Amino acid sequence: MGTASTVVPWVLGRTAVKYSFENLQPVVVNGTGGVIYARTEAGVNGVKDLINRDKPLEFGGISATGLDITTLVAFDLLEADVTSTFGFEGRGPVNLALQRGEIDLDYQTTSAYASAVEGIAKEGKATVLMSFGQLDGSGEVIRDPNFPDVPTVPEAYEQLHGTKPSGEKFEAYKTLLGLTYTYQKGLWVPEKTPEKAVTLLRESSEKLGADKDFQAKAAKVLGGYPLVADADMADRVRAAYIVSSSVRSYVKDLLESKYNIHVE
C-alpha cells in the first residue's frame, strides 16, 4: 500500500528506501485533496495578502520531508512571504495553533475540512485561499471536484503574478500533486505478478468502486474521492510516478537552502 509516508521518501531518494514504484504495478488508486487556509486576524483576506508583507506569515508543519513538502513547494512557486515552524504532532494540533493565533497558515486534507476549517471559515476567523487541485488525465491541474469554487494553486499564482505558472517550480508542483494527492493512496503489486492475478484484482476493484452501496458507505472514509481502477489507470499512474532528476534536485535544494534540511 502506498501513502505519502512511502512516496515522499522515495521522491527524495532517501538511503533508507529499498523499494521503487518503478518496479511495481498499480492495481487501484484512491486520491485525496485539500485546501490551504489562513488566520484572518493575521491580515489575510485573500490570495494577494500572501505577498509584499511587512512581516512573513507563519506556516505550521509536521515535517518538511513528509506530506508538507507539496505545500512548501506551492509557497515557493507563489513567492509567498512565509516562514515555517515544524514539529507539530498532526494537522489537528496545527489547526488548534492557528485558532489560538500561534501560526497563520495551515492546510487540511478534504476528509478533515468539514470539522477543522469549514466552521471557522463561516465565522470569519479563517480565510480559505486555495485548493491543491487535482491532476487530470493529461497531467494538468484542474479544480478539485470537492472544492469547485476554490481556486487552485496555479490559479492563485495567476492572481498574484498576472501570468500562468511555468518552469521548474511548476513542474515540481505538478509532480508532487500527482504523487501526494491525486494518486497518493494505492495498492501495488510486484512487477512479475501474473497478469491474470493483476487483472482479477483490478477488475474487482473497479466493480467495487462502482457499487452504489460501497460508494455510500465509503463517502466519508475516502473523503469524496473514488476508487480508480479503470483499464487506463496503470498508464496514468505510471506517468505520474516518473520523477525527473531536475524535480528531485529542485526539491532537495529547496529543503537545504530554505529549511536547512539535508536529505541523506
Side-chain angles (χ1 to χ4, degrees):
M1 294 299 297
T3 67
S5 61
T6 52
V7 171
V8 176
W10 172 73
V11 171
L12 295 176
R14 304 195 72 153
T15 55
V17 173
K18 305 301 180 184
Y19 53 86
S20 175
F21 289 97
E22 295 168 345
N23 299 325
L24 298 170
Q25 294 188 65
V27 172
V28 55
V29 291
N30 170 242
T32 188
V35 298
I36 298 172
Y37 66 104
R39 184 170 62 92
T40 306
E41 286 188 357
V44 184
N45 294 296
V47 169
K48 293 190 176 180
D49 292 320
L50 291 174
I51 62 173
N52 300 322
R53 298 188 62 84
D54 295 331
K55 179 183 178 182
L57 295 166
E58 190 72 21
F59 167 70
I62 300 170
S63 169
T65 56
L67 182 58
D68 291 351
I69 188 63
T70 305
T71 306
L72 301 181
V73 169
F75 289 150
D76 193 46
L77 171 67
L78 296 171
E79 301 177 18
D81 293 336
V82 176
T83 56
S84 302
T85 297
F86 298 104
F88 287 93
E89 294 182 354
R91 299 249 60 85
V94 177
N95 176 263
L96 292 175
L98 182 139
Q99 293 187 54
R100 291 193 296 260
E102 297 165 358
I103 58 133
D104 307 311
L105 287 167
D106 180 28
Y107 73 90
Q108 293 288 333
T109 55
T110 308
S111 58
Y113 176 80
S115 60
V117 183
E118 191 171 37
I120 57 176
K122 287 181 178 178
E123 294 172 3
K125 297 177 181 178
T127 301
V128 176
L129 297 170
M130 66 196 84
S131 79
F132 293 103
Q134 294 284 301
L135 288 187
D136 66 11
S138 301
E140 298 302 319
V141 184
I142 60 174
R143 288 200 175 186
D144 190 319
N146 286 291
F147 303 104
D149 300 323
V150 180
T152 63
V153 169
E155 288 176 303
Y157 180 95
E158 196 166 356
Q159 288 182 34
L160 289 172
H161 303 291
T163 59
K164 294 183 181 297
S166 61
E168 177 184 65
K169 294 180 181 181
F170 186 44
E171 290 306 312
Y173 178 75
K174 288 195 292 183
T175 296
L176 289 171
L177 175 63
L179 297 177
T180 61
Y181 284 95
T182 305
Y183 303 119
Q184 182 205 119
K185 298 177 177 67
L187 174 64
W188 302 73
V189 295
E191 193 172 31
K192 294 183 180 180
T193 300
E195 184 178 349
K196 185 177 181 180
V198 176
T199 300
L200 177 61
L201 283 168
R202 186 194 63 76
E203 290 182 349
S204 299
S205 299
E206 186 176 20
K207 291 177 181 177
L208 177 65
D211 184 86
K212 298 299 183 182
D213 289 339
F214 171 81
Q215 290 175 358
K217 294 176 181 179
K220 292 183 179 180
V221 179
L222 301 183
Y225 298 91
L227 289 184
V228 180
D230 59 89
D232 298 324
M233 172 275 304
D235 289 338
R236 297 197 304 275
V237 173
R238 285 186 180 280
Y241 273 70
I242 295 174
V243 182
S244 69
S245 58
S246 61
V247 166
R248 280 196 166 96
S249 295
Y250 158 74
V251 173
K252 287 184 176 182
D253 289 345
L254 175 65
L255 291 173
E256 289 181 11
S257 62
K258 191 162 186 177
Y259 302 100
N260 196 30
I261 294 173
H262 300 267
V263 179
E264 78 282 358

